[in-house]
Amino acid sequence: MDQFIHTPTPTPAPAPTSLTSVFWDINLCPVPPSFNPRRVRPCIKRFLENRGYSGLVIITAFGVLQNVPDNILRGVFSSGISLTNVPYGSAPYEIGDIICEFADAYPPPANIMVISDPNIFSDVSEYLRLTGHHLLQPCPYDSLQSLLEQDSVAPEETVECWAETVESPCWECLLCCRDPPDHVFENFITHLHGDEHEQLLLKLLNENNAPPPPDPPVSNAKSLMTWDWCPPPPTHYNRSKKKALTLVFWDINTCPVPRCSDAPLVGPSIKRFLLNKGYVGPSIIIAVGLLEKVDVDILKGVSSSGITLTSVPYGIFSSLCLPTLMDIFFDE
Ligand SMILES: [Zn+2]
């Protein structure tokens, strides 16, 4: 009996000419700075072709899309990648369900690739093994950069090539559960900033006793962070508060350091930014995120610049965990 129970499930064989669906975690594996977001789809397609997968490719970028600059979303969408917005902190569950639904709708020999942390989707991997789907390995999850660096796609190939191969991309918001999904990008941006979405987001955050998140970035800044993301402080803060302690929470996954050589400059850059804004008091900077996904040399550089490193489980760095982090640091 034991022998029967422990018999391993055979790994499904790849099906090179079949449909391949790619699920891309755009928060954990963001488009690298200065990289044209319209090139991501050709790069992924080329990555698959180089491994012999010549069938139809469907790509869906998922994540908390309010944390992704509009121009990145626009570029990604215009190249034929669908967008799925998920509520804060629920990506592993929501996307796991979507992958399983896809597997149910498209039985083998469809292929599936997940660009994210495979540990997050380990249950999904097991499910796909049982259904007989081929899950492409290794998932290029450590950094999308590693996949894109292998790319030799000429810039002229970044035209809207999806039109020949797949139906037009669509977007959907799992927070609001709009149905059916829409195909017009500007409607998505309008939706993300619209009353319906904002109210549901506030409701979700209030249920977790957290304040609303800051406005999303408005530009594809090539610098380390989009400073204009920070809302201005209330006027009555301006005198005494500017001499008080300033806590800076930095999402190092969503706002990564572009180059290793930049890492030691982050601490001084943030402090200089605060001084320029008149915040002359002491400051504590905390880099928060899934730190095992960040290059060790970058972490060393960041740490050497006086920044505290705090690792949190996947998907919880958001306004949902910020109050907890603030409590921890204020208690100290
Ligand atoms: Zn919504």
Side-chain angles (χ1 to χ4, degrees):
M1 186 65 179
D2 275 355
Q3 190 180 1
F4 174 75
I5 290 173
H6 294 297
T7 300
T9 309
T11 304
T17 59
S18 297
L19 168 70
T20 298
S21 189
V22 178
F23 297 90
W24 166 31
D25 183 337
I26 197 171
N27 292 138
L28 194 57
C29 308
V31 177
S34 305
F35 194 90
N36 183 348
R38 288 165 58 84
R39 293 181 60 201
V40 175
R41 177 179 161 79
C43 288
I44 292 176
K45 201 158 183 301
R46 184 66 57 93
F47 174 88
L48 292 168
E49 286 170 355
N50 288 343
R51 281 153 185 76
Y53 294 91
S54 57
L56 195 66
V57 177
I58 299 172
I59 304 173
T60 303
F62 66 86
V64 179
L65 300 185
Q66 280 178 301
N67 288 351
V68 181
D70 289 355
N71 59 332
I72 295 283
L73 295 175
R74 182 177 286 105
V76 164
F77 190 83
S78 71
S79 73
I81 294 179
S82 292
L83 302 172
T84 297
N85 183 55
V86 297
Y88 285 104
S90 66
Y93 318 107
E94 300 276 10
I95 298 305
D97 283 349
I98 287 179
I99 296 173
C100 292
E101 282 173 15
F102 171 85
D104 292 340
Y106 295 88
N111 305 296
I112 293 173
M113 181 164 88
V114 181
I115 303 175
S116 185
D117 182 344
N119 295 322
I120 296 168
F121 295 102
S122 56
D123 290 346
V124 173
S125 303
E126 186 54 35
Y127 182 77
L128 297 178
R129 242 189 300 279
L130 293 171
T131 57
H133 285 82
H134 177 65
L135 184 63
L136 271 70
Q137 297 286 354
C139 299
Y141 66 91
D142 281 338
S143 165
L144 190 65
Q145 185 116 31
S146 62
L147 183 153
L148 301 178
E149 280 171 355
Q150 301 169 24
D151 168 55
S152 58
V153 177
E156 57 269 25
E157 289 186 55
T158 62
V159 294
E160 295 177 5
C161 54
W162 54 267
E164 301 167 4
T165 53
V166 295
E167 61 180 20
S168 64
C170 62
W171 63 266
E172 63 180 328
C173 176
L174 299 185
L175 173 65
C176 305
C177 298
R178 287 173 69 94
D179 190 30
D182 196 339
H183 292 272
V184 180
F185 179 76
E186 294 309 326
N187 289 350
F188 179 53
I189 297 302
T190 303
H191 172 78
L192 274 189
H193 302 298
D195 289 344
E196 176 196 15
H197 182 87
E198 293 279 343
Q199 284 171 8
L200 279 169
L201 184 58
L202 280 172
K203 185 165 174 258
L204 173 73
L205 294 171
N206 286 335
E207 284 170 359
N208 290 279
N209 296 317
D215 291 336
V218 295
S219 64
N220 179 23
K222 292 179 181 173
S223 57
L224 296 180
M225 296 186 188
T226 49
W227 300 117
D228 49 356
W229 185 7
C230 305
T235 314
H236 63 272
Y237 272 28
N238 280 349
R239 290 184 181 242
S240 58
K241 297 292 182 183
K242 284 192 171 181
K243 293 181 180 175
L245 171 70
T246 300
L247 278 173
V248 179
F249 293 96
W250 164 31
D251 182 342
I252 196 170
N253 296 130
T254 304
C255 308
V257 179
R259 293 179 301 269
C260 200
S261 57
D262 291 327
L265 306 176
V266 179
S269 299
I270 292 175
K271 288 179 185 291
R272 191 163 54 247
F273 169 82
L274 291 172
L275 282 174
N276 289 340
K277 292 290 181 185
Y279 292 87
V280 295
S283 59
I284 297 175
I285 308 166
I286 303 122
V288 192
L290 204 61
L291 299 186
E292 59 265 37
K293 300 304 165 204
V294 182
D295 185 274
V296 172
D297 289 333
I298 286 185
L299 291 178
K300 284 179 183 171
V302 166
S303 178
S304 74
S305 75
I307 294 179
T308 302
L309 303 175
T310 300
S311 189
V312 296
Y314 176 77
I316 75 159
F317 179 60
S318 65
S319 294
L320 297 182
C321 76
L322 207 50
T324 308
L325 283 170
M326 291 175 75
D327 283 346
I328 291 170
F329 282 93
F330 277 123
D331 283 348
E332 287 178 352

